C-alpha cells in the first residue's frame, strides 16, 4: 500500500527525520507514537506527498493513481469557516464524487452529533465539533488510505470511542490507516502495528501484541530502547 | 465528475463563500472608493481634464484593489488548509486553477463596475457610462489577465512568510503590459486620440492573457504539490 | 578536472580582454561629433544590458530545469545567475541615467528598452524578496522558479507594449543612426568581452553558492549521525 524508503528531512540545519523505513500493507493500521518534535507530523506529510523528503522516496501502490485514493487530515481541519456544515459536506462530495445517499449522510451526521447544527456556519461550532466534521470527511471520502495526524485532539472520551468505532469499521472494509497520536491506549486499540519515533529515528517497530501500554509509556518517559 | 463539473463545483463554492463572508468584495470595493477619493484630493480633477485622467486613474485602482482582493480569496483556501480537500480529491490542479481564475475574474468585474459607477458620480463624468459597451472588451481582457497572474501569485505569496505583503511587488511589474494596454485602449475609446484604433492594444492584452494563462496552468501544480 | 581548466582559461581570457576593451573604448574609438566623449558610456551601457539578459536568461532556463529535475543544483544556478543579472541591470539603469543627463538633459528617459530593463529589475527584486520569505529549501526553490519563468516571459510583451506606448507620447530623441565602422568594431569587442565576463562571474558565483549548499547538506548529515 505505502512504502517509505530511507526518508530523511531537514529544516535549514535541523534534521527532523533520519533514514526512516516504514511499510504499510493493505488494510493495515499503523500507529506512530513519539514525544513532541520527534518528526511524526513531518513523516505523515511526506507520506501524504505534501512535502518532499531530502533523501529517500515514497512508494504508493493503489488501484488508481489519482490522489483521491488517499486522504490526509492534519492539525488543521480543512473546513471553510463561513460555510455551513452541510455546505462543507456537499462541496466535499462534489469534488470527491462520493455520492452518499441523504439517509447515510443523515445517519453519520447524527452519529457525530452534528445533525442539529447542520445549517450553522462552521465558525460557530466548538473545536470538538469542527474536528468531528473534519474526520467525517475522511470517513466518507472513499479513500483506500487514511493519514490522520492527532485525530482525537479536542475530543472527549465519548467521541473518541465513536471515532475509534468508525475507524474499526473502515479497517474491516479494507481501508489502511497511518495515524499519529500521543494517546497510547486509543492508539493501541486500533493498531495492528506500532512504531516509536524519537528524534527523527524510528526506534521501534512491532506488532501490537508484542508490547503493552505500560512499556510504551516507560520507553517514552525514559527514552530507553529495548 | 469531469473537468467542467469540478471547475463549476469550485466556482460555486467560491461564490457561496463570498456571499457569506463578503471579504474579498468588501476589501476591493472600499479600497477602490478610498483610492478614488484620495486621487480627487491629491490631483486636481475638473471637467476639463477628467477625460484625460480617467483611464490612468481607473486602471491603477483596478490593479491595486484587485490584487488585494485576490490575496484574500487565496487566504480563504489557506486559512484552515481547506485547499487540501481539493488536493486529495479527484480534481486535477488545472481544474482547481481555472476555477480560482474564474471566480477571481467575477469579483474583479464586479469591483470594476462599482468603481466605474463611483467614478461617474464623484467626478461627474457621464461619458464613461455611455462608453461602457466599447470598454467592455478591454475590461474583460485586462481583468482576465489580472486574474490569471493574481491567482497564481496570491497562492505563492500566501504560502510564504511575508504573506500578502509581497503580493504587489510580484504582481505589479509583471502586469505592466496589461496596465499599458488597458490605459491606452481606454484612452483611445474615451478621447479618440487622433483616430487611433484600440485594436492593437487589445491584441497585446490577448497575447498576454493567452501566454500567461497557458504557462500558469502548467505551473500552478508546483505551488500546491511537490 | 576538465571543467576547472575551461574556467581558468576563461578567467585568464577575460582578465586580458577587460583592459583591452577599456583601452579601445577610451583611446581607439573616435569621439562622437555631437555628443562628445560622453558617448563612450554607450559601449558599456549596451554591453551591460546584454550581460543582464544573459543572467536572467540563465535564471529562466535553470528555473525550468529545476521544476523538471527537482535538483537543487539548478536552483543554485538560477539564483546565482539571477544575482549577477540583477547587478548588471542595476548598472545598466545607472549608466543609462549618466548617458541621458548630458545627451538629453534629463536624468531619466522613458525609452522602451530602458523601461523594460527597469520592469525586469523590479521583477527580480521581487524574486529575491520571495526567496527571503520562504525558509523551507525545496519550497523556496519551487516558488522562485515560478517567478523566474513568468518574469522572463514578460520581456517580449513588456518590450512591445512600451514601444507602442512611447509612440503615442512625444518622443524625446531618436537613437543615433549611422555609427562609424570603427565604433561598430569597438562595440562588438565590448559585447564579446562582457559576454565572457558574465559567464565567468556566473560560474564563480555558482561555485561558491554550490559549495555553500553542499556544506549545509554535510552539516545536516553530521547532525544526523551525531548521536
Amino acid at each position: 500500500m505505502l512504502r517509505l524508503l530511507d526518508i530523511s528531512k531537514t529544516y535549514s540545519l535541523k534534521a527532523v527525520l533520519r533514514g526512516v523505513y516504514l511499510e504499510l500493507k493493505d488494510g493495515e493500521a499503523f500507529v506512530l507514537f513519539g514525544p513532541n518534535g520527534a518528526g511524526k507530523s513531518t513523516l505523515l506529510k511526506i507520506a501524504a506527498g505534501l512535502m518532499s523528503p531530502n533523501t529517500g522516496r515514497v512508494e504508493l501502490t493503489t488501484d488508481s493513481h489519482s490522489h483521491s485514493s488517499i486522504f490526509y487530515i492534519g492539525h488543521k481541519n480543512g473546513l471553510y469557516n463561513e460555510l455551513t456544515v452541510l455546505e462543507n459536506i456537499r462541496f466535499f462530495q462534489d469534488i470527491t464524487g462520493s455520492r452518499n445517499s441523504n439517509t447515510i449522510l443523515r445517519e453519520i451526521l447524527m452519529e457525530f452529533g452534528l445533525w442539529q447544527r447542520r445549517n450553522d456556519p462552521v465558525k460557530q461550532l466548538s473545536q470538538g465539533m469542527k474536528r468531528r466534521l473534519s474526520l467525517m470527511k475522511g470517513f466518507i471520502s472513499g479513500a483506500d488510505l487514511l493519514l490522520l495526524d492527532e485525530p482525537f485532539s479536542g475530543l472527549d472520551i465519548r467521541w473518541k470511542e465513536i471515532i475509534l468505532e468508525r475507524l474499526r469499521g473502515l479497517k474491516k472494509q479494507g481501508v489502511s490507516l497511518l495515524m499519529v497520536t500521543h494517546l497510547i491506549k486509543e492508539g493501541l486499540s486500533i493498531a495492528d502495528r506500532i512504531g516509536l519515533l524519537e528524534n527523527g529515528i524510528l526506534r521501534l517497530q512491532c506488532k501490537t501484541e508484542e508490547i503493552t501500554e505500560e512499556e510504551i509509556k516507560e520507553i517514552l518517559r525514559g527514552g530507553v530502547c529495548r | 465528475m469531469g473537468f467542467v463539473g469540478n471547475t463549476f463545483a469550485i466556482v460555486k463554492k467560491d461564490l457561496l463563500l463570498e456571499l457569506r463572508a463578503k471579504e474579498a468584495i468588501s476589501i476591493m470595493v472600499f479600497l477602490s472608493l478610498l483610492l478614488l477619493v484620495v486621487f480627487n484630493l491629491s490631483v486636481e480633477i475638473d471637467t476639463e481634464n477628467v477625460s484625460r485622467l480617467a483611464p490612468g486613474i481607473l486602471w491603477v485602482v483596478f490593479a491595486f484593489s484587485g490584487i488585494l482582493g485576490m490575496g484574500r480569496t487565496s487566504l480563504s483556501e489557506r486559512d484552515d488548509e481547506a485547499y487540501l480537500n481539493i488536493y486529495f480529491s479527484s480534481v486535477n490542479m488545472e481544474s482547481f486553477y481555472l476555477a480560482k481564475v474564474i471566480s477571481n475574474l467575477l469579483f474583479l468585474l464586479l469591483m470594476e463596475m462599482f468603481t466605474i459607477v463611483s467614478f461617474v458620480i464623484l467626478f461627474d463624468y457621464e461619458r464613461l457610462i455611455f462608453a461602457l459597451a466599447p470598454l467592455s472588451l478591454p475590461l474583460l481582457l485586462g481583468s482576465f489577465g489580472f486574474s490569471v497572474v493574481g491567482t497564481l501569485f496570491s497562492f505563492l505569496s500566501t504560502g510564504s512568510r511575508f504573506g500578502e505583503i509581497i503580493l504587489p511587488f510580484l504582481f505589479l511589474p509583471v502586469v505592466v503590459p496589461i496596465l499599458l494596454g488597458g490605459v491606452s485602449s481606454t484612452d483611445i475609446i474615451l478621447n479618440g486620440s487622433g483616430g487611433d484604433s484600440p485594436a492593437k492594444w487589445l491584441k497585446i492584452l490577448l497575447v498576454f492573457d493567452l501566454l500567461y494563462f497557458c504557462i500558469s496552468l502548467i505551473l500552478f501544480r508546483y505551488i500546491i504539490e511537490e | 578536472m576538465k571543467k576547472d581548466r575551461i574556467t581558468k582559461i576563461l578567467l585568464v581570457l577575460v582578465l586580458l580582454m577587460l583592459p583591452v576593451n577599456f583601452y579601445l573604448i577610451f583611446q581607439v574609438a573616435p569621439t562622437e561629433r555631437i555628443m562628445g566623449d560622453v558617448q563612450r558610456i554607450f559601449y558599456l551601457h549596451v554591453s551591460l544590458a546584454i550581460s543582464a539578459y544573459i543572467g536572467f536568461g540563465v535564471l529562466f532556463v535553470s528555473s525550468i530545469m529545476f521544476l523538471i529535475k527537482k535538483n537543487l543544483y539548478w536552483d543554485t544556478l538560477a539564483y546565482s545567475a539571477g544575482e549577477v543579472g540583477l547587478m548588471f541591470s542595476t548598472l545598466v539603469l545607472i549608466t543609462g541615467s549618466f548617458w541621458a543627463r548630458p545627451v538629453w538633459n534629463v536624468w531619466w528617459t522613458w525609452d522602451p528598452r530602458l523601461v523594460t530593463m527597469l520592469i525586469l529589475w523590479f521583477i527580480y527584486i521581487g524574486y529575491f524578496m520571495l526567496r527571503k520569505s520562504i525558509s523551507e529549501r525545496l519550497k523556496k526553490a519551487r516558488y522562485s522558479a515560478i517567478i523566474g519563468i513568468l518574469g522572463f516571459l514578460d520581456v517580449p510583451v513588456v518590450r512591445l507594449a512600451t514601444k507602442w506606448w512611447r509612440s503615442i507620447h512625444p518622443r524625446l530623441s531618436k537613437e543615433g543612426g549611422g555609427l562609424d565602422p570603427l565604433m561598430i568594431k569597438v562595440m562588438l569587442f565590448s559585447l564579446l568581452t562582457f559576454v565572457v565576463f558574465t559567464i565567468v562571474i556566473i560560474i564563480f558565483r555558482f561555485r561558491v553558492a554550490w559549495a555553500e549548499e553542499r556544506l549545509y547538506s554535510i552539516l545536516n548529515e553530521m547532525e544526523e549521525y551525531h548521536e
Side-chain angles (χ1 to χ4, degrees):
Chain A
M1 177 95 236
L2 176 75
R3 227 188 254 143
L4 303 175
L5 301 166
D6 189 26
I7 301 288
S8 295
K9 177 77 187 173
T10 49
Y11 288 121
S12 56
L13 266 183
K14 177 113 186 64
V16 184
L17 292 172
R18 312 157 194 234
V20 173
Y21 283 89
L22 201 159
E23 194 179 341
L24 188 68
K25 295 187 197 72
D26 280 337
E28 194 182 29
F30 192 99
V31 178
L32 265 175
F33 299 108
N36 290 340
K40 293 168 293 176
S41 296
T42 308
L43 189 64
L44 213 60
K45 276 186 188 158
I46 288 174
L50 287 171
M51 201 179 258
S52 47
N54 293 64
T55 61
R57 63 179 197 279
V58 179
E59 281 176 6
L60 195 64
T61 46
T62 49
D63 306 333
S64 60
H65 280 283
S66 69
H67 283 126
S68 53
S69 55
I70 58 176
F71 196 77
Y72 162 89
I73 298 172
H75 289 282
K76 300 209 173 159
N77 291 320
L79 301 169
Y80 296 101
N81 278 311
E82 303 288 340
L83 299 185
T84 67
V85 171
L86 267 184
E87 283 162 352
N88 264 290
I89 293 289
R90 291 250 161 76
F91 172 65
F92 186 71
Q93 289 182 321
D94 278 349
I95 57 168
T96 49
S98 58
R99 268 277 153 238
N100 306 70
S101 70
N102 281 340
T103 40
I104 292 179
L105 202 64
R106 186 188 158 138
E107 204 175 282
I108 189 169
L109 276 170
M110 299 254 262
E111 186 188 334
F112 279 45
L114 293 163
W115 177 252
Q116 303 289 326
R117 307 290 303 268
R118 64 191 183 279
N119 288 320
D120 289 344
V122 167
K123 62 178 173 188
Q124 291 173 9
L125 303 185
S126 71
Q127 281 307 319
M129 285 174 172
K130 284 184 194 168
R131 198 60 186 163
R132 263 134 56 199
L133 181 56
S134 177
L135 289 170
M136 184 179 151
K137 284 184 313 182
F139 297 149
I140 63 170
S141 68
D144 308 326
L145 169 61
L146 280 183
L147 304 164
L148 306 175
D149 198 348
E150 298 288 358
F152 308 112
S153 66
L155 299 181
D156 60 28
I157 189 88
R158 185 167 70 105
W159 293 114
K160 273 181 216 159
E161 253 333 296
I162 289 174
I163 300 291
L164 278 170
E165 201 44 55
R166 269 277 163 186
L167 286 172
R168 282 186 205 108
L170 281 179
K171 231 176 78 180
K172 270 192 201 115
Q173 293 164 28
V175 176
S176 316
L177 272 179
L178 179 57
M179 189 163 108
V180 163
T181 181
H182 66 274
L183 300 175
I184 294 159
K185 194 168 71 128
E186 282 77 2
L188 278 177
S189 75
I190 186 83
D192 295 316
R193 284 194 301 140
I194 63 126
L196 244 131
L197 198 66
E198 207 185 327
N199 234 332
I201 298 167
L202 200 54
R203 294 266 187 223
L204 178 80
Q205 256 192 85
C206 64
K207 293 214 174 84
T208 313
E209 306 91 74
E210 295 168 0
I211 200 162
T212 62
E213 193 184 336
E214 291 310 315
E215 281 174 308
I216 295 175
K217 276 186 183 159
E218 188 57 43
I219 295 171
L220 283 180
R221 205 177 298 134
V224 193
C225 271
R226 290 208 299 183
Chain B
M1 284 223 290
F3 187 89
V4 178
N6 285 332
T7 310
F8 180 71
I10 299 172
V11 172
K12 198 177 83 180
K13 182 268 302 173
D14 278 345
L15 296 183
L16 192 61
L17 201 61
E18 192 53 38
L19 205 66
R20 291 281 153 72
K22 301 176 193 70
E23 279 177 354
I25 285 290
S26 50
I27 285 175
M28 292 202 268
V29 159
F30 287 117
L31 184 64
S32 67
L33 195 61
L34 180 63
L35 284 173
L36 286 181
V37 171
V38 169
F39 266 118
N40 193 27
L41 295 177
S42 50
V43 182
E44 218 170 295
I45 301 173
D46 49 40
T47 46
E48 291 288 302
N49 62 11
V50 64
S51 111
R52 219 161 31 77
L53 292 173
I57 293 179
L58 284 174
W59 281 91
V60 167
V61 171
F62 295 163
F64 273 95
S65 310
I67 193 57
L68 255 79
M70 286 190 277
R72 189 58 242 173
T73 60
S74 84
L75 268 185
S76 73
E77 297 283 356
R78 291 260 192 199
D79 263 350
D80 201 25
E81 289 183 350
Y83 70 97
L84 287 184
N85 292 322
I86 298 169
Y87 177 72
F88 287 109
S89 72
S90 52
V91 178
N92 60 25
M93 288 298 114
E94 288 76 19
S95 173
F96 182 24
Y97 175 69
L98 178 64
K100 292 311 258 187
V101 168
I102 293 174
S103 31
N104 276 335
L105 175 65
L106 293 175
F107 300 148
L108 281 175
L109 289 173
L110 209 64
M111 174 270 290
E112 285 162 12
M113 285 306 113
F114 173 84
T115 309
I116 286 175
V117 171
S118 318
F119 193 95
V120 169
I121 295 168
L122 287 174
F123 299 105
D124 193 23
Y125 184 56
E126 282 172 24
R127 174 99 167 275
L128 200 55
I129 290 286
F130 298 115
L132 263 186
L135 275 181
S136 60
L137 207 52
L139 280 180
L140 211 59
L141 289 175
S143 314
F144 184 72
F146 277 164
S147 174
V148 162
V149 178
T151 304
L152 188 78
F153 283 7
S154 64
F155 264 89
L156 267 183
S157 62
T158 48
S160 81
R161 225 166 0 99
F162 290 175
E164 289 156 292
I165 307 284
I166 203 172
L167 195 44
F169 291 97
L170 300 174
F171 178 76
L172 289 173
V174 171
V175 298
V176 159
I178 297 191
L179 282 174
L180 289 179
V183 170
S184 303
S185 51
T186 308
D187 187 41
I188 291 167
I189 288 165
L190 289 178
N191 301 318
S193 284
D196 221 348
S197 146
K200 73 172 182 183
W201 290 111
L202 296 180
K203 250 183 260 163
I204 272 233
L205 293 177
L206 196 64
V207 166
F208 184 97
D209 286 0
L210 288 177
L211 178 72
Y212 273 83
F213 180 64
C214 294
I215 304 293
S216 305
L217 205 57
I218 300 168
L219 292 181
F220 185 71
R221 62 167 56 249
Y222 291 104
I223 301 179
I224 308 291
E225 62 190 38
E226 298 295 330
Chain C
M1 292 275 277
K2 208 177 157 206
K3 264 190 199 162
D4 258 3
R5 197 179 317 146
I6 296 174
T7 317
K8 269 182 196 146
I9 293 172
L10 284 176
L11 180 65
V12 172
L13 195 66
V14 84
L15 287 177
L16 290 173
M17 279 171 98
L18 276 172
V20 175
N21 187 35
F22 282 107
Y23 179 76
L24 289 177
I25 291 173
F26 289 108
Q27 295 296 325
V28 177
T31 310
E32 221 268 350
R33 260 181 303 125
I34 307 158
M35 291 179 259
D37 278 333
V38 154
Q39 185 262 351
R40 293 178 199 276
I41 289 182
F42 184 68
Y43 302 109
L44 284 180
H45 179 69
V46 175
S47 309
L48 287 168
I50 297 294
S51 299
Y53 277 113
I54 291 175
F56 296 144
V58 173
L59 190 161
F60 172 67
V61 175
S62 350
S63 296
I64 296 175
M65 289 306 289
F66 174 76
L67 290 185
I68 297 171
K69 300 272 186 200
K70 300 280 165 65
N71 189 334
L72 283 178
Y73 179 91
W74 292 107
D75 180 62
T76 312
L77 182 57
Y79 77 77
S80 306
E83 282 174 14
V84 174
L86 197 58
M87 177 191 76
F88 278 123
S89 64
T90 310
L91 291 175
V92 171
L93 297 174
I94 293 171
T95 51
S97 181
F98 284 175
W99 159 267
R101 179 67 194 148
V103 175
W104 297 313
N105 209 26
V106 287
W107 282 112
W108 178 257
T109 163
W110 294 96
D111 168 78
R113 272 167 284 202
L114 217 49
V115 176
T116 308
M117 189 57 80
L118 182 64
I119 300 300
L120 273 185
W121 188 80
F122 275 117
I123 289 176
Y124 292 106
I125 292 283
Y127 173 90
F128 283 106
M129 278 172 86
L130 185 71
R131 289 193 74 92
K132 233 182 140 58
S133 76
I134 301 168
S135 45
E136 213 227 305
R137 188 65 189 85
L138 288 165
K139 191 178 181 185
K140 183 196 292 225
R142 268 185 302 132
Y143 279 26
S144 52
I146 290 174
I147 303 290
I149 293 169
L150 288 182
F152 197 70
L153 284 179
D154 221 17
V155 174
V157 194
V158 172
R159 183 79 166 75
L160 190 65
T162 44
K163 210 167 140 190
W164 285 353
W165 166 71
R166 285 296 296 168
S167 66
I168 344 176
H169 294 255
R171 232 165 221 284
L172 253 175
S173 136
K174 273 186 94 161
E175 293 288 344
L179 279 173
D180 188 282
L182 189 57
M183 285 179 170
I184 292 174
K185 278 180 197 144
V186 173
M187 184 79 251
L188 286 176
F189 187 80
S190 178
L191 285 179
L192 188 66
T193 308
F194 269 85
V195 168
V196 181
F197 186 39
T198 311
I199 292 169
V200 169
I201 299 189
I202 292 176
I203 290 174
F204 275 91
R205 177 67 191 103
F206 169 73
R207 290 170 89 180
V208 173
W210 188 233
E212 275 173 10
E213 295 282 341
R214 275 187 317 195
L215 182 65
Y216 268 114
S217 65
I218 291 169
L219 283 176
N220 281 337
E221 272 168 37
M222 282 168 64
E223 173 101 344
E224 242 172 74
Y225 299 112
H226 188 62
E227 2 237 307

